[in-house]
Amino acid sequence: MFKSKTLEAYILRRLSIFAGLFILLLYLLLAQFDWSTWHLSLTTGLAAFGLMLAILHFRKRLMATFDRALLHIEAVRMEDYNQYAKCDFPAGNVGAFHRELTALSEYLSTKKLRYDQHAFLIYQLIDQLDTPILVFNERNKLTYANGAFTLLYDQPWQMYRLASAKMLGLSKNDQGWQLEGENQQWQISHSEFIDAGEAHQLLVFTNITSALRASQLTAWQQIIRVMGHEIRNSLTPVSSLAESLAGRTTSERDQKALALISERCHHLQDFISRYSSLSQKMNLDIRQISVLELTERLSGLYAGNGLEFDSKLQWLAADQAFLEQVLINLIKNSIEAGSDSIKLSFKAINGKNQIQLIDNGHGFANLDNLFVPLFTTKQNGQGIGLTFCRNIIEQHQGSIKLENNSDRGVKVTIELPQTQSAH
Protein backbone atom coordinates (compact mmCIF):
# COMPACT_ATOMS: atom_id res chain seq x y z
CA MET A 1 0.00 0.00 0.00
CA PHE A 2 2.81 2.39 0.91
CA LYS A 3 5.20 1.09 -1.73
CA SER A 4 6.53 3.93 -3.91
CA LYS A 5 7.42 3.53 -7.60
CA THR A 6 9.40 6.78 -7.79
CA LEU A 7 11.99 8.41 -5.60
CA GLU A 8 9.97 11.63 -5.57
CA ALA A 9 6.90 9.88 -4.17
CA TYR A 10 9.01 8.01 -1.64
CA ILE A 11 10.56 11.24 -0.29
CA LEU A 12 7.25 13.09 -0.27
CA ARG A 13 5.37 10.30 1.50
CA ARG A 14 7.98 9.71 4.20
CA LEU A 15 8.48 13.39 4.94
CA SER A 16 4.70 13.98 4.96
CA ILE A 17 4.27 11.28 7.61
CA PHE A 18 7.07 12.85 9.66
CA ALA A 19 5.53 16.32 9.30
CA GLY A 20 2.09 15.00 10.28
CA LEU A 21 3.44 13.43 13.47
CA PHE A 22 5.37 16.62 14.27
CA ILE A 23 2.25 18.79 13.89
CA LEU A 24 0.21 16.43 16.04
CA LEU A 25 2.81 16.49 18.81
CA LEU A 26 3.05 20.28 18.55
CA TYR A 27 -0.75 20.58 18.85
CA LEU A 28 -0.86 18.35 21.94
CA LEU A 29 2.03 20.24 23.54
CA LEU A 30 0.46 23.66 22.98
CA ALA A 31 -2.89 22.42 24.25
CA GLN A 32 -1.32 22.11 27.73
CA PHE A 33 -1.02 25.91 27.94
CA ASP A 34 -4.76 26.53 27.81
CA TRP A 35 -4.56 28.28 24.42
CA SER A 36 -7.73 28.99 22.62
CA THR A 37 -8.71 26.84 19.68
CA TRP A 38 -8.12 29.71 17.26
CA HIS A 39 -4.56 30.27 18.51
CA LEU A 40 -3.83 26.53 18.42
CA SER A 41 -5.13 26.24 14.85
CA LEU A 42 -3.21 29.31 13.67
CA THR A 43 0.06 28.13 15.24
CA THR A 44 -0.15 24.57 14.00
CA GLY A 45 -1.29 25.82 10.56
CA LEU A 46 1.73 28.09 10.25
CA ALA A 47 3.99 25.27 11.39
CA ALA A 48 2.43 22.90 8.87
CA PHE A 49 2.85 25.46 6.06
CA GLY A 50 6.49 26.02 7.01
CA LEU A 51 7.15 22.26 7.07
CA MET A 52 5.46 21.85 3.67
CA LEU A 53 7.73 24.53 2.15
CA ALA A 54 10.77 22.91 3.72
CA ILE A 55 9.76 19.48 2.38
CA LEU A 56 9.20 20.82 -1.15
CA HIS A 57 12.55 22.65 -1.09
CA PHE A 58 14.30 19.54 0.18
CA ARG A 59 12.66 17.42 -2.51
CA LYS A 60 13.53 19.95 -5.24
CA ARG A 61 17.14 20.24 -4.08
CA LEU A 62 17.54 16.48 -3.95
CA MET A 63 15.94 15.80 -7.35
CA ALA A 64 17.75 18.67 -9.11
CA THR A 65 20.98 16.66 -9.24
CA PHE A 66 19.15 13.81 -11.02
CA ASP A 67 17.46 16.23 -13.43
CA ARG A 68 20.86 17.58 -14.39
CA ALA A 69 22.13 14.04 -14.84
CA LEU A 70 19.23 13.29 -17.18
CA LEU A 71 20.08 16.36 -19.27
CA HIS A 72 23.68 15.19 -19.41
CA ILE A 73 22.60 11.72 -20.57
CA GLU A 74 20.32 13.28 -23.21
CA ALA A 75 23.25 15.35 -24.50
CA VAL A 76 25.38 12.18 -24.70
CA ARG A 77 22.61 10.42 -26.60
CA MET A 78 22.60 13.31 -29.09
CA GLU A 79 26.43 13.01 -29.34
CA ASP A 80 26.96 16.39 -27.66
CA TYR A 81 29.85 15.74 -25.31
CA ASN A 82 30.54 19.36 -24.35
CA GLN A 83 27.73 19.64 -21.79
CA TYR A 84 28.34 18.51 -18.20
CA ALA A 85 25.91 18.29 -15.25
CA LYS A 86 26.71 20.40 -12.18
CA CYS A 87 26.50 18.35 -9.02
CA ASP A 88 25.18 19.95 -5.77
CA PHE A 89 26.69 17.09 -3.74
CA PRO A 90 30.29 16.55 -4.90
CA ALA A 91 31.02 13.93 -2.23
CA GLY A 92 29.40 10.57 -1.56
CA ASN A 93 27.51 8.32 -3.97
CA VAL A 94 25.84 11.18 -5.84
CA GLY A 95 29.20 12.83 -6.48
CA ALA A 96 30.66 9.48 -7.59
CA PHE A 97 27.72 9.00 -9.98
CA HIS A 98 28.32 12.39 -11.61
CA ARG A 99 32.05 11.80 -11.88
CA GLU A 100 31.46 8.48 -13.63
CA LEU A 101 28.98 10.14 -15.98
CA THR A 102 31.52 12.85 -16.82
CA ALA A 103 34.22 10.22 -17.40
CA LEU A 104 31.88 8.30 -19.71
CA SER A 105 31.11 11.48 -21.66
CA GLU A 106 34.83 12.26 -22.09
CA TYR A 107 35.53 8.66 -23.18
CA LEU A 108 32.77 8.75 -25.78
CA SER A 109 33.97 12.18 -26.95
CA THR A 110 37.46 10.74 -27.55
CA LYS A 111 35.99 7.75 -29.40
CA LYS A 112 33.86 10.02 -31.57
CA LEU A 113 36.82 12.24 -32.37
CA ARG A 114 38.81 9.21 -33.52
CA TYR A 115 35.85 7.96 -35.54
CA ASP A 116 35.39 11.36 -37.18
CA GLN A 117 39.09 11.47 -38.05
CA HIS A 118 38.93 8.00 -39.59
CA ALA A 119 35.72 8.83 -41.44
CA PHE A 120 37.25 12.08 -42.73
CA LEU A 121 40.30 10.16 -43.98
CA ILE A 122 38.12 7.54 -45.64
CA TYR A 123 36.00 10.19 -47.36
CA GLN A 124 39.18 11.92 -48.55
CA LEU A 125 40.46 8.65 -50.02
CA ILE A 126 37.08 7.97 -51.64
CA ASP A 127 37.09 11.44 -53.16
CA GLN A 128 40.40 10.69 -54.88
CA LEU A 129 39.04 7.59 -56.61
CA ASP A 130 38.06 7.85 -60.27
CA THR A 131 35.18 5.43 -59.65
CA PRO A 132 31.80 7.05 -58.83
CA ILE A 133 30.72 6.31 -55.24
CA LEU A 134 27.33 7.44 -53.89
CA VAL A 135 25.89 7.30 -50.37
CA PHE A 136 22.13 7.28 -49.69
CA ASN A 137 20.46 7.54 -46.28
CA GLU A 138 17.67 5.25 -45.10
CA ARG A 139 15.14 7.44 -46.95
CA ASN A 140 17.10 6.89 -50.19
CA LYS A 141 18.26 10.52 -50.32
CA LEU A 142 21.75 11.32 -51.61
CA THR A 143 23.97 12.47 -48.73
CA TYR A 144 27.45 12.13 -50.23
CA ALA A 145 29.30 11.35 -53.46
CA ASN A 146 32.88 11.67 -54.62
CA GLY A 147 34.25 13.80 -57.43
CA ALA A 148 33.77 11.02 -59.99
CA PHE A 149 30.01 11.69 -59.70
CA THR A 150 30.47 13.98 -62.71
CA LEU A 151 31.17 10.91 -64.88
CA LEU A 152 27.55 9.89 -64.34
CA TYR A 153 25.68 13.20 -64.32
CA ASP A 154 28.14 15.82 -65.69
CA GLN A 155 27.63 18.04 -62.61
CA PRO A 156 29.04 18.19 -59.06
CA TRP A 157 27.16 16.00 -56.62
CA GLN A 158 26.36 19.00 -54.41
CA MET A 159 23.83 20.02 -57.08
CA TYR A 160 21.94 16.81 -56.28
CA ARG A 161 22.27 16.80 -52.48
CA LEU A 162 19.27 15.04 -50.89
CA ALA A 163 17.97 14.09 -54.34
CA SER A 164 16.06 10.81 -54.40
CA ALA A 165 17.47 7.70 -56.03
CA LYS A 166 14.57 7.76 -58.48
CA MET A 167 15.42 11.33 -59.53
CA LEU A 168 18.97 10.15 -60.29
CA GLY A 169 17.65 7.35 -62.48
CA LEU A 170 18.51 4.61 -59.97
CA SER A 171 16.20 1.73 -59.14
CA LYS A 172 16.50 -1.30 -56.88
CA ASN A 173 15.12 -4.76 -57.58
CA ASP A 174 15.89 -8.37 -56.69
CA GLN A 175 19.11 -8.21 -58.73
CA GLY A 176 20.31 -5.10 -56.89
CA TRP A 177 20.69 -1.48 -57.97
CA GLN A 178 20.49 -0.50 -61.62
CA LEU A 179 21.05 2.71 -63.56
CA GLU A 180 18.11 3.33 -65.87
CA GLY A 181 18.53 4.49 -69.44
CA GLU A 182 20.49 3.33 -72.44
CA ASN A 183 23.88 3.80 -70.80
CA GLN A 184 24.64 0.31 -69.52
CA GLN A 185 28.39 0.74 -69.16
CA TRP A 186 28.18 0.86 -65.35
CA GLN A 187 27.97 -2.10 -63.02
CA ILE A 188 26.72 -1.24 -59.51
CA SER A 189 27.79 -3.01 -56.33
CA HIS A 190 26.30 -1.95 -53.02
CA SER A 191 26.63 -2.50 -49.29
CA GLU A 192 24.98 -1.15 -46.15
CA PHE A 193 26.56 0.55 -43.16
CA ILE A 194 25.36 2.30 -40.01
CA ASP A 195 26.32 5.89 -39.30
CA ALA A 196 24.89 7.93 -36.39
CA GLY A 197 22.36 5.21 -35.80
CA GLU A 198 21.01 5.41 -39.35
CA ALA A 199 21.32 2.81 -42.11
CA HIS A 200 23.04 4.02 -45.30
CA GLN A 201 23.45 2.52 -48.77
CA LEU A 202 26.92 2.67 -50.36
CA LEU A 203 26.84 2.34 -54.16
CA VAL A 204 30.06 1.77 -56.11
CA PHE A 205 29.91 2.17 -59.91
CA THR A 206 32.37 0.18 -62.02
CA ASN A 207 32.88 1.03 -65.66
CA ILE A 208 32.69 -2.30 -67.47
CA THR A 209 33.46 -0.79 -70.87
CA SER A 210 37.15 -1.66 -70.56
CA ALA A 211 36.29 -5.23 -69.53
CA LEU A 212 33.91 -5.64 -72.47
CA ARG A 213 36.46 -4.09 -74.78
CA ALA A 214 39.17 -6.43 -73.52
CA SER A 215 36.85 -9.38 -74.15
CA GLN A 216 36.08 -8.13 -77.66
CA LEU A 217 39.74 -7.51 -78.31
CA THR A 218 40.64 -11.02 -77.21
CA ALA A 219 38.00 -12.42 -79.56
CA TRP A 220 39.26 -10.34 -82.48
CA GLN A 221 42.86 -11.32 -81.76
CA GLN A 222 41.86 -14.97 -81.79
CA ILE A 223 40.04 -14.48 -85.12
CA ILE A 224 43.03 -12.67 -86.59
CA ARG A 225 45.43 -15.37 -85.41
CA VAL A 226 43.34 -18.05 -87.07
CA MET A 227 42.78 -15.98 -90.22
CA GLY A 228 46.40 -14.90 -90.35
CA HIS A 229 47.62 -18.47 -90.02
CA GLU A 230 45.33 -19.76 -92.75
CA ILE A 231 45.91 -16.79 -95.07
CA ARG A 232 49.70 -16.98 -94.72
CA ASN A 233 49.64 -20.72 -95.38
CA SER A 234 47.72 -20.04 -98.57
CA LEU A 235 49.44 -16.86 -99.73
CA THR A 236 53.03 -18.01 -99.29
CA PRO A 237 52.89 -20.85 -101.84
CA VAL A 238 50.71 -18.75 -104.18
CA SER A 239 53.22 -15.90 -104.09
CA SER A 240 56.15 -18.25 -104.55
CA LEU A 241 54.45 -20.04 -107.43
CA ALA A 242 53.53 -16.74 -109.11
CA GLU A 243 57.12 -15.48 -108.91
CA SER A 244 58.42 -18.80 -110.24
CA LEU A 245 56.02 -18.82 -113.18
CA ALA A 246 56.78 -15.17 -113.94
CA GLY A 247 60.43 -16.11 -114.42
CA ARG A 248 59.59 -18.86 -116.86
CA THR A 249 57.03 -17.23 -119.11
CA THR A 250 57.98 -15.01 -122.02
CA SER A 251 54.55 -13.44 -122.38
CA GLU A 252 54.52 -9.84 -121.15
CA ARG A 253 50.82 -10.09 -120.36
CA ASP A 254 51.34 -13.22 -118.25
CA GLN A 255 54.27 -11.61 -116.45
CA LYS A 256 52.15 -8.58 -115.52
CA ALA A 257 49.31 -10.80 -114.32
CA LEU A 258 51.66 -12.96 -112.21
CA ALA A 259 53.40 -9.85 -110.84
CA LEU A 260 50.00 -8.46 -109.81
CA ILE A 261 49.15 -11.74 -108.07
CA SER A 262 52.48 -11.66 -106.23
CA GLU A 263 51.99 -8.01 -105.28
CA ARG A 264 48.51 -8.63 -103.88
CA CYS A 265 49.82 -11.61 -101.91
CA HIS A 266 52.49 -9.42 -100.31
CA HIS A 267 49.89 -6.70 -99.66
CA LEU A 268 47.60 -9.16 -97.86
CA GLN A 269 50.47 -10.55 -95.83
CA ASP A 270 51.51 -7.03 -94.85
CA PHE A 271 47.91 -6.20 -93.86
CA ILE A 272 47.67 -9.29 -91.64
CA SER A 273 51.02 -8.49 -90.00
CA ARG A 274 50.04 -4.89 -89.32
CA TYR A 275 46.62 -5.76 -87.96
CA SER A 276 47.86 -8.60 -85.74
CA SER A 277 50.25 -6.16 -84.04
CA LEU A 278 47.64 -3.40 -83.80
CA SER A 279 46.45 -4.17 -80.26
CA GLN A 280 49.83 -5.08 -78.84
CA LYS A 281 51.39 -3.05 -76.03
CA MET A 282 53.52 -0.23 -77.40
CA ASN A 283 56.81 0.87 -75.91
CA LEU A 284 55.86 4.49 -75.35
CA ASP A 285 58.52 7.14 -74.82
CA ILE A 286 56.58 9.64 -72.68
CA ARG A 287 58.12 13.09 -72.72
CA GLN A 288 57.09 16.75 -72.49
CA ILE A 289 56.59 17.70 -76.12
CA SER A 290 56.14 21.23 -77.42
CA VAL A 291 52.63 21.92 -78.70
CA LEU A 292 53.99 24.72 -80.91
CA GLU A 293 56.45 22.39 -82.66
CA LEU A 294 53.73 19.75 -83.03
CA THR A 295 51.33 22.20 -84.69
CA GLU A 296 54.08 23.51 -86.97
CA ARG A 297 54.80 20.00 -88.26
CA LEU A 298 51.11 19.27 -88.82
CA SER A 299 50.67 22.61 -90.55
CA GLY A 300 53.55 21.80 -92.87
CA LEU A 301 52.04 18.42 -93.76
CA TYR A 302 48.56 19.78 -94.47
CA ALA A 303 49.11 23.30 -95.74
CA GLY A 304 46.19 24.50 -97.83
CA ASN A 305 43.69 22.05 -96.32
CA GLY A 306 41.92 24.55 -94.07
CA LEU A 307 43.73 23.38 -90.92
CA GLU A 308 43.54 25.93 -88.06
CA PHE A 309 45.04 25.76 -84.56
CA ASP A 310 43.93 27.17 -81.22
CA SER A 311 46.54 26.35 -78.60
CA LYS A 312 46.26 27.31 -74.95
CA LEU A 313 48.91 24.76 -73.92
CA GLN A 314 52.67 24.90 -74.18
CA TRP A 315 53.46 21.27 -73.36
CA LEU A 316 51.91 17.83 -73.62
CA ALA A 317 53.04 14.67 -71.82
CA ALA A 318 52.99 12.04 -74.56
CA ASP A 319 54.96 9.92 -76.98
CA GLN A 320 55.64 12.37 -79.77
CA ALA A 321 55.77 9.89 -82.66
CA PHE A 322 52.62 8.00 -81.73
CA LEU A 323 50.58 11.09 -80.81
CA GLU A 324 51.59 12.77 -84.06
CA GLN A 325 50.50 9.67 -85.99
CA VAL A 326 47.12 9.70 -84.23
CA LEU A 327 46.55 13.36 -85.17
CA ILE A 328 47.66 12.68 -88.75
CA ASN A 329 45.13 9.84 -89.00
CA LEU A 330 42.32 12.05 -87.69
CA ILE A 331 43.19 14.99 -89.97
CA LYS A 332 43.45 12.60 -92.93
CA ASN A 333 39.98 11.20 -92.10
CA SER A 334 38.57 14.75 -92.01
CA ILE A 335 40.04 15.60 -95.41
CA GLU A 336 38.74 12.34 -96.92
CA ALA A 337 35.29 13.19 -95.45
CA GLY A 338 35.20 16.37 -97.56
CA SER A 339 36.21 18.87 -94.86
CA ASP A 340 37.60 22.22 -95.95
CA SER A 341 37.74 23.58 -92.40
CA ILE A 342 39.52 21.64 -89.65
CA LYS A 343 40.02 23.24 -86.24
CA LEU A 344 42.48 21.63 -83.85
CA SER A 345 42.55 23.01 -80.28
CA PHE A 346 44.75 22.26 -77.24
CA LYS A 347 43.66 23.24 -73.73
CA ALA A 348 43.59 22.13 -70.10
CA ILE A 349 40.20 21.21 -68.62
CA ASN A 350 39.21 19.43 -65.40
CA GLY A 351 42.80 18.57 -64.55
CA LYS A 352 43.50 16.99 -67.96
CA ASN A 353 44.96 18.06 -71.28
CA GLN A 354 42.34 18.08 -74.02
CA ILE A 355 42.92 17.89 -77.76
CA GLN A 356 39.83 18.56 -79.84
CA LEU A 357 39.36 18.33 -83.59
CA ILE A 358 36.25 19.80 -85.24
CA ASP A 359 35.64 19.58 -88.98
CA ASN A 360 32.79 20.30 -91.40
CA GLY A 361 32.84 17.05 -93.34
CA HIS A 362 29.93 14.67 -93.94
CA GLY A 363 30.27 13.05 -90.50
CA PHE A 364 29.85 9.43 -89.49
CA ALA A 365 26.97 7.32 -90.75
CA ASN A 366 27.35 4.72 -87.97
CA LEU A 367 28.84 5.89 -84.68
CA ASP A 368 28.30 2.52 -82.97
CA ASN A 369 30.81 0.67 -85.15
CA LEU A 370 33.59 3.26 -85.32
CA PHE A 371 36.02 1.19 -83.29
CA VAL A 372 34.96 -2.24 -84.55
CA PRO A 373 38.02 -3.80 -86.21
CA LEU A 374 37.79 -4.18 -90.01
CA PHE A 375 34.64 -1.99 -90.14
CA THR A 376 34.92 0.90 -92.58
CA THR A 377 32.65 3.06 -94.75
CA LYS A 378 35.49 4.05 -97.08
CA GLN A 379 35.71 2.41 -100.45
CA ASN A 380 39.38 1.52 -99.98
CA GLY A 381 39.44 1.59 -96.18
CA GLN A 382 40.72 -1.23 -93.99
CA GLY A 383 39.04 -0.42 -90.66
CA ILE A 384 42.32 -0.02 -88.81
CA GLY A 385 42.88 3.75 -88.41
CA LEU A 386 40.47 4.59 -85.61
CA THR A 387 41.22 1.34 -83.77
CA PHE A 388 44.89 2.27 -83.90
CA CYS A 389 44.12 5.77 -82.57
CA ARG A 390 42.10 4.46 -79.62
CA ASN A 391 44.76 1.89 -78.79
CA ILE A 392 47.48 4.57 -78.69
CA ILE A 393 45.42 7.05 -76.65
CA GLU A 394 44.35 4.44 -74.11
CA GLN A 395 47.96 3.30 -73.70
CA HIS A 396 48.62 6.94 -72.79
CA GLN A 397 45.98 6.41 -70.03
CA GLY A 398 43.71 8.75 -71.92
CA SER A 399 40.38 8.57 -73.73
CA ILE A 400 39.05 9.39 -77.19
CA LYS A 401 35.46 10.26 -78.08
CA LEU A 402 33.95 10.82 -81.52
CA GLU A 403 30.56 12.40 -82.20
CA ASN A 404 28.74 14.08 -85.04
CA ASN A 405 28.13 17.82 -84.80
CA SER A 406 24.56 19.06 -84.63
CA ASP A 407 24.74 20.61 -88.10
CA ARG A 408 27.62 19.14 -90.06
CA GLY A 409 30.96 17.47 -89.46
CA VAL A 410 32.59 15.58 -86.61
CA LYS A 411 34.03 16.45 -83.21
CA VAL A 412 36.85 14.30 -81.85
CA THR A 413 37.84 14.83 -78.21
CA ILE A 414 41.04 13.37 -76.79
CA GLU A 415 41.83 13.67 -73.08
CA LEU A 416 45.30 12.92 -71.72
CA PRO A 417 46.73 13.06 -68.20
CA GLN A 418 48.75 16.19 -67.54
CA THR A 419 51.63 14.11 -66.19
CA GLN A 420 52.60 10.57 -67.07
CA SER A 421 55.32 8.08 -66.43
CA ALA A 422 56.94 6.05 -69.13
CA HIS A 423 55.38 2.65 -69.82
Side-chain angles (χ1 to χ4, degrees):
M1 178 177 178
F2 295 102
K3 186 175 181 180
S4 302
K5 294 184 178 180
T6 64
L7 179 61
E8 299 96 315
Y10 178 82
I11 294 173
L12 189 60
R13 183 174 289 116
R14 293 314 188 264
L15 291 180
S16 296
I17 293 172
F18 171 78
L21 292 174
F22 178 80
I23 295 299
L24 179 60
L25 290 174
L26 178 63
Y27 182 84
L28 294 175
L29 180 62
L30 293 177
Q32 302 298 322
F33 296 99
D34 295 328
W35 284 19
S36 65
T37 302
W38 186 85
H39 283 92
L40 286 174
S41 300
L42 180 61
T43 302
T44 54
L46 290 174
F49 181 74
L51 282 174
M52 184 182 67
L53 292 179
I55 290 172
L56 293 176
H57 177 73
F58 175 79
R59 176 181 173 275
K60 181 179 179 181
R61 175 79 184 279
L62 184 61
M63 299 309 301
T65 187
F66 293 101
D67 291 336
R68 294 192 184 99
L70 287 174
L71 291 175
H72 191 163
I73 293 173
E74 177 65 16
V76 169
R77 190 179 70 83
M78 299 299 294
E79 297 186 357
D80 182 3
Y81 305 110
N82 296 319
Q83 296 190 31
Y84 298 96
K86 180 181 179 182
C87 179
D88 291 334
F89 308 100
N93 290 336
V94 175
F97 170 73
H98 277 271
R99 286 193 295 273
E100 288 298 322
L101 186 58
T102 300
L104 175 62
S105 182
E106 292 174 348
Y107 171 76
L108 293 176
S109 177
T110 303
K111 294 281 287 185
K112 185 177 184 299
L113 179 61
R114 291 177 181 174
Y115 170 81
D116 290 343
Q117 289 175 341
H118 293 162
F120 178 72
L121 178 60
I122 291 173
Y123 278 120
Q124 276 194 319
L125 292 175
I126 289 176
D127 202 50
Q128 299 301 316
L129 299 177
D130 55 5
T131 296
I133 297 177
L134 280 63
V135 178
F136 290 89
N137 60 19
E138 60 185 5
R139 295 177 298 279
N140 280 340
K141 302 292 186 180
L142 181 67
T143 57
Y144 174 79
N146 63 350
F149 180 89
T150 54
L151 298 177
L152 297 173
Y153 301 100
D154 298 324
Q155 288 183 332
W157 77 271
Q158 290 84 354
M159 300 287 292
Y160 293 89
R161 184 189 293 273
L162 298 181
S164 65
K166 183 178 181 180
M167 179 180 175
L168 294 171
L170 292 166
S171 60
K172 187 179 182 181
N173 52 34
D174 295 338
Q175 286 73 39
W177 288 86
Q178 291 184 347
L179 183 63
E180 299 174 355
E182 299 180 356
N183 190 355
Q184 300 298 324
Q185 71 181 88
W186 298 102
Q187 184 180 54
I188 305 175
S189 57
H190 79 282
S191 59
E192 295 185 1
F193 68 96
I194 304 296
D195 185 25
E198 184 178 349
H200 290 72
Q201 295 278 345
L202 178 70
L203 305 187
V204 180
F205 292 74
T206 303
N207 192 336
I208 60 175
T209 303
S210 58
L212 292 175
R213 187 176 298 163
S215 177
Q216 293 173 349
L217 186 59
T218 301
W220 279 106
Q221 286 175 334
Q222 181 65 23
I223 293 173
I224 286 299
R225 277 195 292 268
V226 174
M227 290 177 56
H229 177 74
E230 295 299 325
I231 291 174
R232 287 192 183 98
N233 286 345
S234 300
L235 290 179
T236 300
V238 170
S239 176
S240 177
L241 182 60
E243 291 175 355
S244 176
L245 291 175
R248 295 180 183 180
T249 184
T250 57
S251 170
E252 182 177 353
R253 179 180 178 183
D254 290 343
Q255 288 179 345
K256 290 182 178 180
L258 291 170
L260 179 61
I261 292 173
S262 179
E263 179 186 350
R264 295 309 300 171
C265 287
H266 287 300
H267 175 78
L268 286 174
Q269 288 176 329
D270 179 62
F271 170 78
I272 293 297
S273 297
R274 285 190 292 116
Y275 188 81
S276 62
S277 63
L278 183 63
S279 59
Q280 294 178 359
K281 194 74 174 178
M282 307 294 184
N283 293 321
L284 301 182
D285 182 18
I286 305 295
R287 295 183 180 181
Q288 291 290 331
I289 61 177
S290 170
V291 175
L292 178 60
E293 294 180 3
L294 177 62
T295 55
E296 286 178 349
R297 285 193 296 272
L298 293 175
S299 179
L301 289 172
Y302 295 100
N305 291 105
L307 183 59
E308 301 177 12
F309 299 98
D310 177 19
S311 179
K312 294 181 174 60
L313 289 177
Q314 289 185 322
W315 304 95
L316 278 172
D319 183 294
Q320 180 171 326
F322 281 114
L323 180 61
E324 190 170 321
Q325 186 60 51
V326 167
L327 296 179
I328 288 174
N329 283 0
L330 295 176
I331 296 171
K332 182 172 176 288
N333 284 345
S334 295
I335 295 173
E336 292 175 350
S339 301
D340 56 12
S341 173
I342 306 171
K343 297 180 180 179
L344 193 61
S345 64
F346 301 80
K347 60 183 177 181
I349 182 170
N350 296 330
K352 294 183 178 181
N353 289 331
Q354 184 187 89
I355 305 173
Q356 196 168 77
L357 182 147
I358 301 177
D359 65 32
N360 63 347
H362 53 63
F364 293 109
N366 192 332
L367 288 169
D368 295 332
N369 295 320
L370 289 180
F371 297 108
V372 174
L374 304 180
F375 175 84
T376 181
T377 57
K378 299 178 183 178
Q379 184 176 358
N380 298 318
Q382 298 176 338
I384 289 181
L386 291 178
T387 307
F388 168 83
C389 292
R390 185 178 68 177
N391 182 38
I392 294 301
I393 295 302
E394 290 186 347
Q395 291 194 38
H396 277 80
Q397 302 177 14
S399 63
I400 180 171
K401 179 181 179 182
L402 292 87
E403 54 189 325
N404 286 325
N405 296 325
S406 57
D407 49 357
R408 178 179 173 84
V410 170
K411 178 168 67 176
V412 183
T413 304
I414 297 173
E415 290 188 348
L416 297 172
Q418 291 184 337
T419 59
Q420 292 190 14
S421 57
H423 289 60

